[in-house]
Amino acid sequence: MQATEAEIRELYERYGPVLFHRCRQILRNDEDANDAVQETFAKVLRKWDEFRGQSSPLTWMYRISTNHCLNQVRNRTGREQKRVQHKDAIVGEGFTRPDTGRWETADTVRTLLADCDDETRLIVTCLFYDDMTREETARLVGISVPTLRKRLNAFLDKARKRVEDGGLPAGALALLLVVLL
Amino acid sequence: MNPLFHENDGSRPSRLDLARQLTAELPREDSEFLAAFEAEIAESAKALEPFDWEILTSAAERTVEEPRVEQEAPREGAPWWKAWWLVPALMACLLLILVVPGVIDQYAGVKGDQVDIDFMVLVDGEPRPGLDGATLAEGDRLQFSYYAPGLSDVVLLSIDGEGTLSIYYPASGDLPHAVTPGERHFLEGSIRLDGAAGPEVFVAVFGAGSVAEAVELVEEAYAAGSHEAVQALEDQPGVATIRIEKSP
């Protein structure tokens, strides 16, 4: 069965703003966020029968849009690795005004997230951006809570190691996740 | 509790919960969390594109009906002037020649028109004001300041005497570096000059949508008219430039 224009329009008006906000927060770019919303609704159209069976259409669309956004972020990371960037040319804290080095920490967090597999990134995003509980996150990702715990612990071990190596100030990570995502 | 993170233990609504309340999937429970979230949504919704059935249906069909095209193995034996790519390549070159100056003129993706950048240079351990056009040497350190009324991010890049484009801010990623609008502020860190002799033009693009957009702007200008054309970008809204000379 095919969705009608009126049905999709109603869904767009109801869910579009919330989804757009979500995508915008991850992608930090209006154009990309609009693309992500469009892709999500395109998927609704293609999987109309599956979509109609969802008890929470928003949760279904959240998963689709988040995956799309995280793929975009991953692609960006790939692009940036190919581009010449001269971070090494920037030295010290500057000589006119000391700074906290916050942007360097942000880089470390980006690297940390970029190194994760897609599922772990989705888990981290749900837990620390969406402020979901472990149970909610496990439901959305489609895994059990013990599996989620295992994935999360592996991620946190890496983060702790970065803290111990001095690459990441303790306590800054949660804040920066919010800033970055 | 984990020392790094503060997970939601269920004592407060998650953002997904709040979103479900706003979309009437869950009963609405008025709270400060919901009010704040609703305000965020209302603000960002201004940038959401309006519903367009044609775009959505074509996006849905595109993914389903356009299978990935397998690349054909190159044919052997055909002379190069009969190559399939020759005509489109020539047309692309022609288009580039005709269109590039126009593209540069069209750049107007920023709001501010009174931005500027300045720099300090470290000489014998002492910071001194830098001068546009100053002659500097390898190893000199520059720290940039900016004035960006109403704009909150910048991409700072340069093109040196050898035509190499370097991006300094942001240090990585495609998102421009966040800056503080209003008063003059310094960028964090200082840039140590490398040994490429000749002119180097630093370009600050404020309010660019992405690093790629700023890079494209500078690369197109350089292709159209070398360092002078890059310097002339400062006539564009939201763009400021500084030129230095590097001694060999």
Side-chain angles (χ1 to χ4, degrees):
Chain A
M1 181 177 248
Q2 291 290 311
T4 65
E5 180 178 348
E7 283 169 323
I8 297 296
R9 180 187 293 275
E10 190 187 332
L11 287 172
Y12 192 89
E13 282 165 5
R14 182 174 172 189
Y15 295 111
V18 170
L19 281 176
F20 177 71
H21 178 66
R22 170 101 189 78
C23 299
R24 196 188 199 203
Q25 290 289 316
I26 297 177
L27 297 167
R28 308 296 294 265
N29 177 306
D30 289 350
E31 194 179 332
D32 290 348
N34 271 307
D35 286 347
V37 171
Q38 183 187 300
E39 284 303 316
T40 305
F41 277 92
K43 195 144 190 177
V44 170
L45 269 172
R46 287 197 297 274
K47 306 223 168 199
W48 182 239
D49 288 334
E50 180 186 329
F51 176 78
R52 288 204 315 160
Q54 299 298 317
S55 58
S56 167
L58 182 62
T59 307
W60 190 89
M61 288 193 280
Y62 246 52
R63 186 168 53 238
I64 302 296
S65 62
T66 305
N67 279 329
H68 177 87
C69 291
L70 291 178
N71 283 339
Q72 292 297 105
V73 172
R74 189 184 53 195
N75 292 342
R76 279 180 188 170
T77 308
R79 283 201 300 274
E80 84 194 36
Q81 281 168 352
K82 290 175 192 160
R83 197 168 55 216
V84 179
Q85 290 197 304
H86 286 236
K87 185 183 170 186
D88 292 344
I90 301 176
V91 291
E93 295 179 335
F95 42 80
T96 52
R97 192 189 66 163
D99 188 77
T100 57
R102 177 178 143 139
W103 61 276
E104 285 180 356
T105 311
D107 265 0
T108 311
V109 177
R110 275 182 197 278
T111 309
L112 203 62
L113 283 173
D115 287 346
C116 295
D117 60 275
D118 289 350
E119 197 168 273
T120 304
R121 291 171 69 183
L122 182 57
I123 291 168
V124 172
T125 307
C126 290
L127 284 173
F128 301 111
Y129 170 73
D130 288 314
D131 206 22
M132 291 184 196
T133 62
R134 290 189 179 196
E135 289 73 20
E136 283 177 309
T137 303
R139 263 200 309 277
L140 186 137
V141 178
I143 56 176
S144 66
V145 173
T147 304
L148 182 144
R149 191 183 305 123
K150 211 181 295 175
R151 291 293 182 89
L152 183 62
N153 285 342
F155 173 78
L156 292 174
D157 282 346
K158 275 171 73 177
R160 274 192 212 99
K161 194 165 182 314
R162 289 288 176 102
V163 172
E164 285 160 11
D165 292 347
L168 188 66
L173 192 52
L175 172 68
L176 281 161
L177 280 168
V178 174
V179 172
L180 289 171
L181 291 177
Chain B
M1 180 179 287
N2 191 292
L4 284 175
F5 302 110
H6 301 284
E7 280 184 47
N8 186 352
D9 57 2
S11 59
R12 58 183 184 267
S14 68
R15 283 174 166 247
L16 176 61
D17 261 346
L18 296 171
R20 293 185 69 195
Q21 288 180 40
L22 283 184
T23 53
E25 279 196 4
L26 290 176
R28 191 181 171 103
E29 292 173 19
D30 285 323
S31 65
E32 57 181 315
F33 299 112
L34 186 62
F37 190 65
E38 192 166 21
E40 279 179 35
I41 301 288
E43 181 56 35
S44 76
K46 291 173 189 168
L48 172 64
E49 284 175 5
F51 176 77
D52 190 320
W53 176 245
E54 279 183 25
I55 288 178
L56 281 180
T57 47
S58 66
E61 285 163 11
R62 189 175 60 234
T63 316
V64 172
E65 291 179 1
E66 286 183 10
R68 186 170 292 176
V69 178
E70 296 297 330
Q71 201 165 1
E72 283 183 30
R75 293 175 189 172
E76 290 179 8
W80 68 271
W81 65 87
K82 288 188 179 175
W84 62 271
W85 48 264
L86 196 58
V87 172
L90 287 172
M91 287 179 72
C93 289
L94 185 64
L95 201 65
L96 207 62
I97 292 164
L98 295 173
V99 169
V100 161
V103 170
I104 294 168
D105 289 341
Q106 284 163 16
Y107 179 77
V110 293
K111 296 172 195 165
D113 57 1
Q114 293 186 334
V115 298
D116 76 63
I117 53 169
D118 204 346
F119 71 99
M120 301 286 282
V121 58
L122 196 64
V123 179
D124 299 329
E126 286 294 318
R128 296 181 186 171
L131 296 172
D132 199 8
T135 300
L136 301 169
E138 179 180 2
D140 281 347
R141 286 171 60 184
L142 314 183
Q143 186 173 10
F144 283 86
S145 65
Y146 60 89
Y147 173 67
L151 293 166
S152 58
D153 57 55
V154 69
V155 178
L156 180 69
L157 53 167
S158 80
I159 197 145
D160 68 14
E162 295 165 359
T164 303
L165 187 142
S166 303
I167 303 156
Y168 297 104
Y169 297 88
S172 64
D174 201 39
L175 300 177
H177 181 80
V179 296
T180 312
E183 305 280 309
R184 178 169 295 280
H185 295 278
F186 278 96
L187 287 167
E188 305 89 342
S190 55
I191 296 169
R192 178 181 285 144
L193 295 179
D194 63 15
E200 179 155 9
V201 181
F202 288 88
V203 185
V205 184
F206 293 89
S210 64
V211 171
E213 192 179 321
V215 168
E216 191 183 349
L217 178 76
V218 174
E219 282 180 342
E220 285 178 353
Y222 185 73
S226 193
H227 292 88
E228 286 67 33
V230 176
Q231 252 188 298
L233 285 173
E234 68 183 356
D235 295 335
Q236 307 265 349
V239 181
T241 67
I242 278 183
R243 178 176 176 140
I244 60 161
E245 300 289 330
K246 278 192 290 182
S247 53

